[in-house]
Amino acid sequence: MRDLSGKTDKFDLVHSAAETVSDEPRRMTASVFGISSSLVIILMFCAVIFSFGAVLFKVLVAEREAAMRETKSVARVFQNHKQLLLREMERYAASNAAYQNIDTNLSPDWIEARFGVDMALDFAHDYTVLFGPDGKVLFSSNFHGKERADDFSKSVQTGITGTLDSIRGNYVKALIRSEPGEVRFTGTLADISAIDIVEINDHPFIVAAFAIVPDPGGIEMSFGPPNVLVNAFEIDAAHLSNLLSSLALDNLKFASEIPDGMIGTPVQNGAGTLLGYLAWYPMSQSSGIILSSIPVLLLSLGVILTVALIALRQNANARARLAAREQEARYAANHDSLTGFVTRGYFHATATKRLALRKDQQRGAWIIYLDVDNLKQVNDIYGHTVGDSLVVAQAERIRSVLGPFDLVARSGGDEFLILTERWETPEQAVEEAGKLFEKLRQPFDYEGKRIETSVSAGIARFPDHGQTLTGLVRAADIALQRCKMEQKSSFRIYDERMDDLLRERREIRVDLDSALREEQFDLFYQPIVDARSGELAFYEALIRWRHPSRGLVPPAMFLPVAQDAGLMPVIGAWVLERALHDACSWMQTGVSVNVCTSQIQAAGFADKVEALLQKYDFPPERLVLEITEDLMLEESAQTRNTILKLRDLGVGLAIDDFGTGFSSLNYLHKYRFDKMKIDRSFVSRIGEDEEADMVVRSMLSLARVMGMQSVGEGVETEAQRDFLVEAGCEFLQGYLFDRPLPFNELMPPDPLSQMEGIRRAGG
């Protein structure tokens, strides 16, 4: 019998064969359901051929569709790859440092180090060329950054002449000159960058060009055509292998014509000229397999069906892989590659929806604006690799403390935005935030190096501190800034009074300009006495602001504002000159002046000090410059040279507020300070905190070992004085001896006692 699919039942075939053998008179043309066996065989063969043809047709169509998808995918990945190369160059071309070392003050050493070494280590390329505004080659090298490539540079310049002209033209069009004569670039990076395919020496190259332009700006610019950085990437097997990681292909090659058995996508330059093809063997080659198996397939329909199913499965897997890669691309677009947290844009979109839902539910939420305080210092001291590792470590700590439904974004290099809905009350917020900060403040270990970490954060509650996400982020940011003003490595919950403080800081900033113009600043002097004799040795100059309406403004209120506004070098220069002017009237008493890090780092600071000493005929040994510990985090050749010049002048150097920053014995030995000032935060706890007593004794012992004199700040009680004297502190300063007074209220010191005090102080 035959089943409904047209196949002959095995039992019927055997039975029919037996009848044929035993009954020879019966003809060989036995029938099945009235149809002759030969016709059944023919029909079955036709069914096999039809099935084979139908399957083969479907496979050919599927292969054609798969080839079209592969072609589009390769073309899209190749285009994205070119844009990725251009974005890699952006970090090196769009840079304040690059502009200053190329356009403003040409530095061949810097150019070679930046483009011949740093960029070569960052991403692979075959050649680098830096063209000047006039088209001359300022720098060229191959990937190794050692060999010159002048001939190749000429070929590159010839191949992309139009591109270079377009970039220069767009750059010049985007330059504007403001009324004060300042030049600014107002265009976009897309206008001054381009990427093209160029044939050089019979080889195809991806050539990317980017104009040197300041970013973020704010520096002095010149008016004229730009320098242009050009990178060339040969489209060879090694380069194309990088694309295979983004494609589900086994091979990829560049050819002038598509070889037999391969498919490809055209490679054209910007002018539309065909340079060749990216060719590869198609993933699906099922038709060849089926055609080569025709003899077997004619004998077994099962084999045909199996091969067809394999082919269809291969095509399905290819589509699944493409879909998975598209999903991965969407994920990458919405997540930070370093930490895995969402991007700022995705955070805003998602958080806005969540807040709308919380509003409908009449429930609260919290925004945390968190900042890694010391990331810049870590990058400067240990390098960006360590800085990135610190960011990753902090991200892992955040992830370990927060819940699975909390939304976290990396909104900047050292900033994180967090939306949490788990906290119900401010008390719970403080408790949970404290746990988070306890985790984030733990030291970070990197390859045996123990690096101290510091984070600050502002916290805002929805809807109390803002009805929208923008308002909440602003409130959290204000609270974060309050933390940085008062005490880093802490967190604050937003309070409306913080707005008042921010407004007051803005008013102080505006009034500072008037204070400089109208000479509203004044100097007060606090004595520094010999610890054992109590005789006057030095006066420390302390700035005060006689505001016309606020009265006497303490420095803690306006100096941080001046620091943020970049006014400290101007104010510091005024303090130094005024202090020397006033100290000229003293017989032997020295003067101690605080100088900020920006003054020390400014070029020519030591020369200015020398000029002032000569102007007022002031002995250099009577001048002490107090420097805070944050200078050690900004170590540079300029800083070291300035310190050496000051020491050559004979000026005394004191490290101020010792123990409150990031001191190290290496820096103390390198800079060779004359004095160490013990911060008042330690002195105030003398006799009350056994640990503080031990710390102060250790600092004084360290000063003696390093050959430094010691000064105890903030001495207010007899007990504190006695402790410091007994511990070997050589000089004391504080309200116990006198408060800071204006110059005209100082008591004229006795010359004889002064001389004796200086002799005891070793000055």
Side-chain angles (χ1 to χ4, degrees), residues 238-251:
H239 188 84
L240 292 178
S241 64
N242 295 329
L243 295 181
L244 290 176
S245 61
S246 302
L247 296 167
L249 301 176
D250 295 328
N251 58 83

Side-chain angles (χ1 to χ4, degrees), residues 84 99 110 157 177 194 219 234 266 274 283 292 309 335-336 347 358 399 416 449 462 464 476 488 493 508 515 715:
L84 176 62
Y99 189 91
W110 185 93
Q157 189 173 25
R177 195 184 300 275
I219 64 174
E234 185 176 2
L274 179 65
M283 293 172 54
S292 64
L309 289 175
H335 291 77
D336 174 55
F347 178 88
R358 301 294 286 185
R399 189 178 285 110
F416 296 91
K449 299 176 182 176
F462 172 82
D464 302 344
K488 289 185 178 181
I493 296 179
I508 289 176
V715 180

